Amino acid sequence: MGALEYGGYFGVGILIGILAAMFGLGGGFLIVPTLNFLGVEIHHAVGTSSAAVVFTSLSSAIAYHRQRRIHYKAGLLLASTAVPGAYMGAWATSYISLSQLKVIFGLVLLLVSIKIYRKKSVEPQEVRLEEVELDYRIIPVGGFIAGIASGLLGIGGGAINVPFLTAMGLPIHYAVATSSFAIIFTATSGALKHYAMGNVEVKWLLLLVPGLIIGAQLGAKIAKRTKASSLGKAFAVVLALLAVRMVLKGLGFAVP
């Protein structure tokens, strides 16, 4: 492999890492179609993506830890139920019509994205993290739903985590950071399962991970300098794109 080709993969990794860290989404929504486009069989693309997201979310979480923007209790509560939820979602794929479910869930995410876009955002400096009041009894419910959606529909938990946490009253910057932290656990669980099944392509993992790690550090820095209103609107746009993609796939259109 030439230096130019490797540089291309490195650049792709950086771009995905930036977007993943900025929005707390892990990056699987970009890694899977990228690998599939490069010729990796879809099951191996999903497995390799699960492993890659571990590094992306870990790098993001380290950066956000330095910024003191992770709500660790909320993140651990999300992860505690997301992992069993993901296994339940994966099990349910054999019994549920995924095409119809993708359309319904995609439309719900689209409505959520519109609500986030219109929502008034709070700047992180306007509220101290320890002063944010959350209902810790409800957070595990959100984590379980995120896990089921992840296992059932193949979407990252961040698509649920971030809107859920903001609805609970956590400012967007803290929600993104906390989601990145929570995804470490769900991604690791999925990656171990895929590795045991032989779905992880180590070659592609080694090509993408360096860029993903650096990109995640850059994405966290960009998010820190972005106003809450702009970050919230940008997240809403990305979520809407994910929702439209899900609806189209549910309707049978060939989308990456």
Side-chain angles (χ1 to χ4, degrees), residues 17-80:
I18 288 173
L19 294 174
M22 280 188 69
F23 303 121
L25 294 173
F29 71 103
L30 291 173
I31 298 173
V32 172
T34 297
L35 289 174
N36 196 225
F37 175 77
L38 292 171
V40 180
E41 189 268 332
I42 187 62
H43 291 89
H44 286 194
V46 171
T48 305
S49 172
S50 296
V53 168
V54 174
F55 295 92
T56 309
S57 53
L58 184 60
S59 179
S60 302
I62 290 172
Y64 284 124
H65 170 74
R66 294 187 185 125
Q67 297 177 17
R68 300 187 178 185
R69 292 190 172 176
I70 299 175
H71 196 301
Y72 284 102
K73 185 173 182 179
L76 289 172
L77 285 173
L78 283 174
S80 68

Short mmCIF file of all heavy atoms in Angstrom, two decimals, residues 17-80:
data_model
loop_
_atom_site.label_atom_id
_atom_site.label_comp_id
_atom_site.label_asym_id
_atom_site.label_seq_id
_atom_site.Cartn_x
_atom_site.Cartn_y
_atom_site.Cartn_z
N GLY A 17 -13.92 10.78 12.69
CA GLY A 17 -13.67 11.01 14.12
C GLY A 17 -14.16 12.37 14.57
O GLY A 17 -14.72 12.51 15.66
N ILE A 18 -13.95 13.39 13.74
CA ILE A 18 -14.40 14.74 14.07
C ILE A 18 -15.92 14.78 14.24
O ILE A 18 -16.45 15.28 15.23
CB ILE A 18 -13.95 15.75 12.99
CG1 ILE A 18 -12.44 15.98 13.06
CG2 ILE A 18 -14.70 17.08 13.14
CD1 ILE A 18 -11.90 16.82 11.93
N LEU A 19 -16.62 14.23 13.25
CA LEU A 19 -18.08 14.26 13.29
C LEU A 19 -18.62 13.42 14.45
O LEU A 19 -19.59 13.80 15.11
CB LEU A 19 -18.64 13.75 11.95
CG LEU A 19 -18.35 14.63 10.73
CD1 LEU A 19 -18.82 13.95 9.46
CD2 LEU A 19 -19.02 15.99 10.87
N ALA A 20 -17.99 12.27 14.69
CA ALA A 20 -18.45 11.38 15.77
C ALA A 20 -18.33 12.07 17.12
O ALA A 20 -19.24 12.01 17.95
CB ALA A 20 -17.63 10.09 15.76
N ALA A 21 -17.19 12.73 17.37
CA ALA A 21 -16.97 13.39 18.65
C ALA A 21 -17.85 14.62 18.81
O ALA A 21 -18.36 14.88 19.90
CB ALA A 21 -15.50 13.78 18.80
N MET A 22 -18.03 15.36 17.74
CA MET A 22 -18.84 16.58 17.82
C MET A 22 -20.27 16.29 18.23
O MET A 22 -20.89 17.07 18.96
CB MET A 22 -18.84 17.31 16.47
CG MET A 22 -17.61 18.14 16.19
SD MET A 22 -17.82 19.13 14.69
CE MET A 22 -19.09 20.31 15.24
N PHE A 23 -20.81 15.14 17.77
CA PHE A 23 -22.23 14.87 17.97
C PHE A 23 -22.50 13.69 18.90
O PHE A 23 -23.65 13.32 19.11
CB PHE A 23 -22.92 14.66 16.63
CG PHE A 23 -22.75 15.81 15.68
CD1 PHE A 23 -22.15 15.64 14.45
CD2 PHE A 23 -23.16 17.08 16.05
CE1 PHE A 23 -21.98 16.71 13.58
CE2 PHE A 23 -22.99 18.16 15.20
CZ PHE A 23 -22.40 17.98 13.96
N GLY A 24 -21.45 13.08 19.46
CA GLY A 24 -21.64 11.98 20.40
C GLY A 24 -22.29 10.76 19.79
O GLY A 24 -23.01 10.03 20.48
N LEU A 25 -22.01 10.50 18.51
CA LEU A 25 -22.70 9.43 17.79
C LEU A 25 -21.85 8.18 17.57
O LEU A 25 -22.32 7.21 17.01
CB LEU A 25 -23.19 9.95 16.43
CG LEU A 25 -24.28 11.01 16.47
CD1 LEU A 25 -24.56 11.55 15.08
CD2 LEU A 25 -25.55 10.44 17.08
N GLY A 26 -20.60 8.21 17.97
CA GLY A 26 -19.75 7.03 17.80
C GLY A 26 -19.08 6.94 16.44
O GLY A 26 -17.92 6.63 16.33
N GLY A 27 -19.82 7.22 15.38
CA GLY A 27 -19.25 7.23 14.03
C GLY A 27 -19.60 6.04 13.17
O GLY A 27 -19.26 6.01 11.99
N GLY A 28 -20.30 5.05 13.73
CA GLY A 28 -20.65 3.87 12.96
C GLY A 28 -21.51 4.16 11.75
O GLY A 28 -21.43 3.47 10.73
N PHE A 29 -22.32 5.22 11.85
CA PHE A 29 -23.21 5.57 10.73
C PHE A 29 -22.42 6.00 9.49
O PHE A 29 -22.94 6.00 8.37
CB PHE A 29 -24.18 6.69 11.14
CG PHE A 29 -23.56 8.04 11.34
CD1 PHE A 29 -23.70 9.04 10.40
CD2 PHE A 29 -22.82 8.30 12.48
CE1 PHE A 29 -23.12 10.28 10.59
CE2 PHE A 29 -22.26 9.55 12.69
CZ PHE A 29 -22.39 10.54 11.74
N LEU A 30 -21.15 6.36 9.68
CA LEU A 30 -20.27 6.70 8.56
C LEU A 30 -19.27 5.60 8.25
O LEU A 30 -18.92 5.38 7.09
CB LEU A 30 -19.51 8.00 8.87
CG LEU A 30 -20.33 9.29 8.93
CD1 LEU A 30 -19.46 10.43 9.42
CD2 LEU A 30 -20.91 9.61 7.56
N ILE A 31 -18.81 4.90 9.27
CA ILE A 31 -17.80 3.86 9.07
C ILE A 31 -18.35 2.69 8.27
O ILE A 31 -17.70 2.19 7.34
CB ILE A 31 -17.26 3.36 10.43
CG1 ILE A 31 -16.58 4.50 11.18
CG2 ILE A 31 -16.26 2.22 10.22
CD1 ILE A 31 -16.16 4.15 12.60
N VAL A 32 -19.57 2.25 8.60
CA VAL A 32 -20.16 1.09 7.91
C VAL A 32 -20.30 1.33 6.41
O VAL A 32 -19.80 0.54 5.60
CB VAL A 32 -21.51 0.69 8.53
CG1 VAL A 32 -22.19 -0.39 7.67
CG2 VAL A 32 -21.32 0.17 9.94
N PRO A 33 -20.95 2.43 5.97
CA PRO A 33 -21.06 2.63 4.52
C PRO A 33 -19.71 2.87 3.85
O PRO A 33 -19.51 2.50 2.69
CB PRO A 33 -21.97 3.86 4.39
CG PRO A 33 -21.95 4.51 5.71
CD PRO A 33 -21.72 3.43 6.72
N THR A 34 -18.76 3.49 4.57
CA THR A 34 -17.43 3.72 4.00
C THR A 34 -16.73 2.39 3.72
O THR A 34 -16.18 2.17 2.63
CB THR A 34 -16.56 4.57 4.96
OG1 THR A 34 -17.16 5.85 5.13
CG2 THR A 34 -15.16 4.74 4.41
N LEU A 35 -16.74 1.49 4.70
CA LEU A 35 -16.10 0.19 4.52
C LEU A 35 -16.81 -0.62 3.45
O LEU A 35 -16.16 -1.29 2.63
CB LEU A 35 -16.11 -0.58 5.84
CG LEU A 35 -15.16 -0.06 6.93
CD1 LEU A 35 -15.39 -0.82 8.24
CD2 LEU A 35 -13.70 -0.20 6.50
N ASN A 36 -18.13 -0.57 3.44
CA ASN A 36 -18.90 -1.30 2.43
C ASN A 36 -18.59 -0.78 1.03
O ASN A 36 -18.45 -1.56 0.08
CB ASN A 36 -20.39 -1.17 2.74
CG ASN A 36 -21.23 -2.19 2.00
OD1 ASN A 36 -22.28 -1.86 1.43
ND2 ASN A 36 -20.81 -3.44 1.97
N PHE A 37 -18.44 0.53 0.91
CA PHE A 37 -18.07 1.15 -0.38
C PHE A 37 -16.68 0.69 -0.84
O PHE A 37 -16.43 0.53 -2.04
CB PHE A 37 -18.11 2.68 -0.25
CG PHE A 37 -17.65 3.40 -1.48
CD1 PHE A 37 -18.48 3.52 -2.59
CD2 PHE A 37 -16.38 3.96 -1.54
CE1 PHE A 37 -18.05 4.19 -3.74
CE2 PHE A 37 -15.95 4.63 -2.67
CZ PHE A 37 -16.79 4.74 -3.77
N LEU A 38 -15.78 0.48 0.12
CA LEU A 38 -14.41 0.05 -0.19
C LEU A 38 -14.31 -1.44 -0.47
O LEU A 38 -13.22 -1.96 -0.71
CB LEU A 38 -13.47 0.42 0.97
CG LEU A 38 -13.25 1.93 1.18
CD1 LEU A 38 -12.49 2.18 2.48
CD2 LEU A 38 -12.48 2.52 0.00
N GLY A 39 -15.45 -2.13 -0.42
CA GLY A 39 -15.47 -3.54 -0.80
C GLY A 39 -15.56 -4.52 0.35
O GLY A 39 -15.48 -5.75 0.14
N VAL A 40 -15.73 -4.03 1.57
CA VAL A 40 -15.85 -4.92 2.73
C VAL A 40 -17.28 -5.44 2.81
O VAL A 40 -18.23 -4.65 2.76
CB VAL A 40 -15.47 -4.19 4.03
CG1 VAL A 40 -15.58 -5.15 5.23
CG2 VAL A 40 -14.05 -3.64 3.95
N GLU A 41 -17.43 -6.76 2.92
CA GLU A 41 -18.76 -7.38 3.03
C GLU A 41 -19.50 -6.78 4.21
O GLU A 41 -18.90 -6.47 5.24
CB GLU A 41 -18.58 -8.89 3.18
CG GLU A 41 -19.88 -9.68 3.09
CD GLU A 41 -20.50 -9.88 4.46
OE1 GLU A 41 -19.77 -9.91 5.46
OE2 GLU A 41 -21.75 -10.00 4.51
N ILE A 42 -20.83 -6.60 4.10
CA ILE A 42 -21.60 -5.79 5.04
C ILE A 42 -21.49 -6.29 6.48
O ILE A 42 -21.35 -5.50 7.42
CB ILE A 42 -23.09 -5.72 4.60
CG1 ILE A 42 -23.85 -4.72 5.50
CG2 ILE A 42 -23.73 -7.08 4.59
CD1 ILE A 42 -23.35 -3.31 5.43
N HIS A 43 -21.52 -7.62 6.70
CA HIS A 43 -21.41 -8.12 8.07
C HIS A 43 -20.05 -7.81 8.67
O HIS A 43 -19.93 -7.46 9.85
CB HIS A 43 -21.66 -9.63 8.10
CG HIS A 43 -23.08 -10.02 7.81
ND1 HIS A 43 -23.52 -10.25 6.53
CD2 HIS A 43 -24.15 -10.18 8.62
CE1 HIS A 43 -24.82 -10.56 6.57
NE2 HIS A 43 -25.22 -10.51 7.83
N HIS A 44 -19.01 -7.90 7.85
CA HIS A 44 -17.66 -7.56 8.31
C HIS A 44 -17.51 -6.04 8.48
O HIS A 44 -16.77 -5.59 9.37
CB HIS A 44 -16.62 -8.09 7.33
CG HIS A 44 -16.44 -9.57 7.39
ND1 HIS A 44 -15.37 -10.23 6.81
CD2 HIS A 44 -17.19 -10.54 7.98
CE1 HIS A 44 -15.47 -11.53 7.03
NE2 HIS A 44 -16.58 -11.74 7.74
N ALA A 45 -18.22 -5.29 7.66
CA ALA A 45 -18.19 -3.83 7.80
C ALA A 45 -18.82 -3.41 9.13
O ALA A 45 -18.28 -2.55 9.83
CB ALA A 45 -18.94 -3.17 6.64
N VAL A 46 -19.93 -4.05 9.48
CA VAL A 46 -20.60 -3.74 10.75
C VAL A 46 -19.71 -4.16 11.92
O VAL A 46 -19.56 -3.41 12.91
CB VAL A 46 -21.97 -4.46 10.83
CG1 VAL A 46 -22.56 -4.33 12.23
CG2 VAL A 46 -22.92 -3.87 9.79
N GLY A 47 -19.12 -5.34 11.85
CA GLY A 47 -18.26 -5.82 12.91
C GLY A 47 -17.02 -4.96 13.10
O GLY A 47 -16.64 -4.62 14.23
N THR A 48 -16.38 -4.59 11.99
CA THR A 48 -15.19 -3.74 12.04
C THR A 48 -15.55 -2.36 12.56
O THR A 48 -14.80 -1.75 13.32
CB THR A 48 -14.55 -3.63 10.65
OG1 THR A 48 -14.29 -4.95 10.15
CG2 THR A 48 -13.23 -2.87 10.71
N SER A 49 -16.71 -1.88 12.17
CA SER A 49 -17.18 -0.57 12.64
C SER A 49 -17.39 -0.59 14.15
O SER A 49 -17.00 0.35 14.85
CB SER A 49 -18.48 -0.19 11.94
OG SER A 49 -19.03 0.98 12.51
N SER A 50 -17.98 -1.67 14.67
CA SER A 50 -18.20 -1.78 16.12
C SER A 50 -16.88 -1.67 16.87
O SER A 50 -16.80 -1.01 17.91
CB SER A 50 -18.88 -3.11 16.45
OG SER A 50 -20.17 -3.17 15.88
N ALA A 51 -15.84 -2.33 16.35
CA ALA A 51 -14.53 -2.27 16.99
C ALA A 51 -13.92 -0.88 16.87
O ALA A 51 -13.31 -0.36 17.81
CB ALA A 51 -13.60 -3.32 16.37
N ALA A 52 -14.10 -0.25 15.70
CA ALA A 52 -13.53 1.08 15.48
C ALA A 52 -14.18 2.12 16.38
O ALA A 52 -13.52 3.04 16.88
CB ALA A 52 -13.70 1.48 14.01
N VAL A 53 -15.49 1.97 16.62
CA VAL A 53 -16.22 2.92 17.45
C VAL A 53 -15.71 2.91 18.89
O VAL A 53 -15.76 3.93 19.59
CB VAL A 53 -17.75 2.62 17.41
CG1 VAL A 53 -18.49 3.39 18.49
CG2 VAL A 53 -18.30 2.99 16.03
N VAL A 54 -15.18 1.76 19.34
CA VAL A 54 -14.60 1.70 20.69
C VAL A 54 -13.48 2.74 20.82
O VAL A 54 -13.41 3.49 21.79
CB VAL A 54 -14.04 0.30 20.98
CG1 VAL A 54 -13.30 0.29 22.33
CG2 VAL A 54 -15.15 -0.75 20.98
N PHE A 55 -12.62 2.80 19.80
CA PHE A 55 -11.49 3.74 19.83
C PHE A 55 -11.96 5.18 19.66
O PHE A 55 -11.44 6.09 20.31
CB PHE A 55 -10.48 3.38 18.73
CG PHE A 55 -9.83 2.04 18.93
CD1 PHE A 55 -10.37 0.90 18.36
CD2 PHE A 55 -8.69 1.93 19.69
CE1 PHE A 55 -9.78 -0.34 18.54
CE2 PHE A 55 -8.07 0.70 19.89
CZ PHE A 55 -8.62 -0.44 19.32
N THR A 56 -12.94 5.38 18.80
CA THR A 56 -13.47 6.73 18.58
C THR A 56 -14.10 7.29 19.84
O THR A 56 -13.80 8.41 20.27
CB THR A 56 -14.53 6.72 17.46
OG1 THR A 56 -14.01 6.06 16.31
CG2 THR A 56 -14.91 8.14 17.08
N SER A 57 -14.97 6.50 20.46
CA SER A 57 -15.67 6.97 21.66
C SER A 57 -14.71 7.12 22.84
O SER A 57 -14.86 8.04 23.66
CB SER A 57 -16.81 6.02 22.02
OG SER A 57 -16.35 4.68 22.12
N LEU A 58 -13.71 6.23 22.93
CA LEU A 58 -12.73 6.33 24.00
C LEU A 58 -11.91 7.61 23.86
O LEU A 58 -11.68 8.33 24.85
CB LEU A 58 -11.81 5.11 23.99
CG LEU A 58 -10.77 5.02 25.12
CD1 LEU A 58 -11.47 5.00 26.48
CD2 LEU A 58 -9.91 3.77 24.95
N SER A 59 -11.48 7.91 22.64
CA SER A 59 -10.73 9.14 22.40
C SER A 59 -11.58 10.36 22.69
O SER A 59 -11.13 11.33 23.32
CB SER A 59 -10.24 9.18 20.94
OG SER A 59 -9.53 10.37 20.66
N SER A 60 -12.85 10.32 22.27
CA SER A 60 -13.77 11.43 22.55
C SER A 60 -13.96 11.62 24.04
O SER A 60 -13.93 12.75 24.56
CB SER A 60 -15.14 11.16 21.90
OG SER A 60 -15.03 10.96 20.52
N ALA A 61 -14.16 10.51 24.75
CA ALA A 61 -14.40 10.58 26.20
C ALA A 61 -13.20 11.15 26.94
O ALA A 61 -13.36 11.92 27.89
CB ALA A 61 -14.75 9.19 26.74
N ILE A 62 -11.99 10.79 26.51
CA ILE A 62 -10.78 11.34 27.14
C ILE A 62 -10.73 12.85 26.95
O ILE A 62 -10.44 13.60 27.90
CB ILE A 62 -9.52 10.68 26.55
CG1 ILE A 62 -9.44 9.21 26.99
CG2 ILE A 62 -8.26 11.43 26.98
CD1 ILE A 62 -8.34 8.42 26.31
N ALA A 63 -11.05 13.30 25.73
CA ALA A 63 -11.04 14.74 25.46
C ALA A 63 -12.11 15.46 26.28
O ALA A 63 -11.85 16.53 26.86
CB ALA A 63 -11.27 14.99 23.97
N TYR A 64 -13.30 14.88 26.36
CA TYR A 64 -14.38 15.52 27.11
C TYR A 64 -14.15 15.43 28.62
O TYR A 64 -14.63 16.28 29.37
CB TYR A 64 -15.73 14.89 26.73
CG TYR A 64 -16.24 15.33 25.39
CD1 TYR A 64 -16.57 14.42 24.39
CD2 TYR A 64 -16.40 16.69 25.11
CE1 TYR A 64 -17.04 14.84 23.14
CE2 TYR A 64 -16.87 17.12 23.87
CZ TYR A 64 -17.18 16.20 22.90
OH TYR A 64 -17.62 16.62 21.68
N HIS A 65 -13.42 14.40 29.06
CA HIS A 65 -13.06 14.32 30.47
C HIS A 65 -12.19 15.51 30.85
O HIS A 65 -12.37 16.11 31.92
CB HIS A 65 -12.33 13.01 30.75
CG HIS A 65 -11.70 12.94 32.12
ND1 HIS A 65 -12.45 12.76 33.27
CD2 HIS A 65 -10.40 13.09 32.52
CE1 HIS A 65 -11.64 12.77 34.31
NE2 HIS A 65 -10.39 12.97 33.89
N ARG A 66 -11.26 15.85 29.98
CA ARG A 66 -10.39 17.00 30.23
C ARG A 66 -11.20 18.29 30.29
O ARG A 66 -10.85 19.22 31.01
CB ARG A 66 -9.32 17.10 29.15
CG ARG A 66 -8.33 15.94 29.13
CD ARG A 66 -7.21 16.20 28.15
NE ARG A 66 -6.32 15.06 28.04
CZ ARG A 66 -6.02 14.46 26.90
NH1 ARG A 66 -6.54 14.89 25.76
NH2 ARG A 66 -5.18 13.44 26.88
N GLN A 67 -12.28 18.34 29.51
CA GLN A 67 -13.14 19.53 29.51
C GLN A 67 -14.14 19.51 30.67
O GLN A 67 -14.88 20.47 30.86
CB GLN A 67 -13.90 19.61 28.18
CG GLN A 67 -13.02 19.78 26.96
CD GLN A 67 -13.83 19.79 25.67
OE1 GLN A 67 -15.05 19.98 25.67
NE2 GLN A 67 -13.17 19.59 24.54
N ARG A 68 -14.18 18.41 31.42
CA ARG A 68 -15.11 18.23 32.54
C ARG A 68 -16.56 18.37 32.12
O ARG A 68 -17.35 19.05 32.76
CB ARG A 68 -14.77 19.21 33.67
CG ARG A 68 -13.36 19.03 34.22
CD ARG A 68 -13.12 19.88 35.43
NE ARG A 68 -11.77 19.63 35.96
CZ ARG A 68 -11.30 20.17 37.08
NH1 ARG A 68 -12.07 20.99 37.79
NH2 ARG A 68 -10.08 19.91 37.50
N ARG A 69 -16.91 17.70 31.02
CA ARG A 69 -18.26 17.80 30.50
C ARG A 69 -19.02 16.48 30.50
O ARG A 69 -20.13 16.40 29.98
CB ARG A 69 -18.22 18.38 29.08
CG ARG A 69 -17.78 19.84 29.08
CD ARG A 69 -17.94 20.52 27.77
NE ARG A 69 -17.68 21.95 27.91
CZ ARG A 69 -17.68 22.82 26.89
NH1 ARG A 69 -17.92 22.40 25.67
NH2 ARG A 69 -17.45 24.10 27.11
N ILE A 70 -18.45 15.45 31.08
CA ILE A 70 -19.12 14.15 31.13
C ILE A 70 -19.88 14.01 32.43
O ILE A 70 -19.32 14.20 33.51
CB ILE A 70 -18.11 12.99 31.00
CG1 ILE A 70 -17.37 13.06 29.66
CG2 ILE A 70 -18.83 11.66 31.13
CD1 ILE A 70 -16.28 12.02 29.51
N HIS A 71 -21.15 13.68 32.34
CA HIS A 71 -21.95 13.37 33.52
C HIS A 71 -21.83 11.86 33.72
O HIS A 71 -22.58 11.07 33.13
CB HIS A 71 -23.42 13.77 33.29
CG HIS A 71 -24.22 13.86 34.55
ND1 HIS A 71 -24.37 12.78 35.39
CD2 HIS A 71 -24.90 14.89 35.13
CE1 HIS A 71 -25.13 13.13 36.41
NE2 HIS A 71 -25.46 14.40 36.29
N TYR A 72 -20.88 11.45 34.57
CA TYR A 72 -20.52 10.04 34.67
C TYR A 72 -21.66 9.17 35.19
O TYR A 72 -21.85 8.03 34.72
CB TYR A 72 -19.28 9.88 35.55
CG TYR A 72 -18.02 10.29 34.83
CD1 TYR A 72 -17.42 11.51 35.07
CD2 TYR A 72 -17.45 9.44 33.88
CE1 TYR A 72 -16.27 11.90 34.39
CE2 TYR A 72 -16.30 9.81 33.20
CZ TYR A 72 -15.71 11.03 33.46
OH TYR A 72 -14.58 11.41 32.77
N LYS A 73 -22.42 9.67 36.15
CA LYS A 73 -23.51 8.86 36.69
C LYS A 73 -24.55 8.59 35.62
O LYS A 73 -25.01 7.44 35.46
CB LYS A 73 -24.16 9.56 37.89
CG LYS A 73 -25.23 8.71 38.58
CD LYS A 73 -25.73 9.36 39.87
CE LYS A 73 -26.75 8.46 40.56
NZ LYS A 73 -27.24 9.06 41.83
N ALA A 74 -24.91 9.61 34.85
CA ALA A 74 -25.89 9.44 33.78
C ALA A 74 -25.34 8.49 32.71
O ALA A 74 -26.06 7.63 32.19
CB ALA A 74 -26.24 10.79 33.16
N GLY A 75 -24.05 8.64 32.38
CA GLY A 75 -23.44 7.79 31.37
C GLY A 75 -23.42 6.33 31.77
O GLY A 75 -23.72 5.44 30.96
N LEU A 76 -23.08 6.06 33.02
CA LEU A 76 -23.04 4.68 33.50
C LEU A 76 -24.44 4.07 33.58
O LEU A 76 -24.62 2.88 33.29
CB LEU A 76 -22.37 4.62 34.88
CG LEU A 76 -20.86 4.88 34.89
CD1 LEU A 76 -20.34 4.99 36.32
CD2 LEU A 76 -20.12 3.78 34.13
N LEU A 77 -25.43 4.88 33.95
CA LEU A 77 -26.81 4.39 33.99
C LEU A 77 -27.30 4.06 32.58
O LEU A 77 -28.01 3.06 32.38
CB LEU A 77 -27.72 5.43 34.64
CG LEU A 77 -27.61 5.55 36.17
CD1 LEU A 77 -28.43 6.74 36.67
CD2 LEU A 77 -28.06 4.27 36.85
N LEU A 78 -26.94 4.89 31.61
CA LEU A 78 -27.30 4.60 30.22
C LEU A 78 -26.69 3.29 29.76
O LEU A 78 -27.35 2.43 29.18
CB LEU A 78 -26.83 5.73 29.30
CG LEU A 78 -27.62 7.03 29.27
CD1 LEU A 78 -26.89 8.06 28.42
CD2 LEU A 78 -29.02 6.81 28.71
N ALA A 79 -25.40 3.14 30.03
CA ALA A 79 -24.67 1.95 29.57
C ALA A 79 -25.17 0.68 30.25
O ALA A 79 -25.19 -0.40 29.63
CB ALA A 79 -23.18 2.13 29.81
N SER A 80 -25.59 0.79 31.52
CA SER A 80 -25.98 -0.39 32.28
C SER A 80 -27.16 -1.13 31.66
O SER A 80 -27.28 -2.35 31.78
CB SER A 80 -26.32 0.00 33.72
OG SER A 80 -27.51 0.80 33.76
#
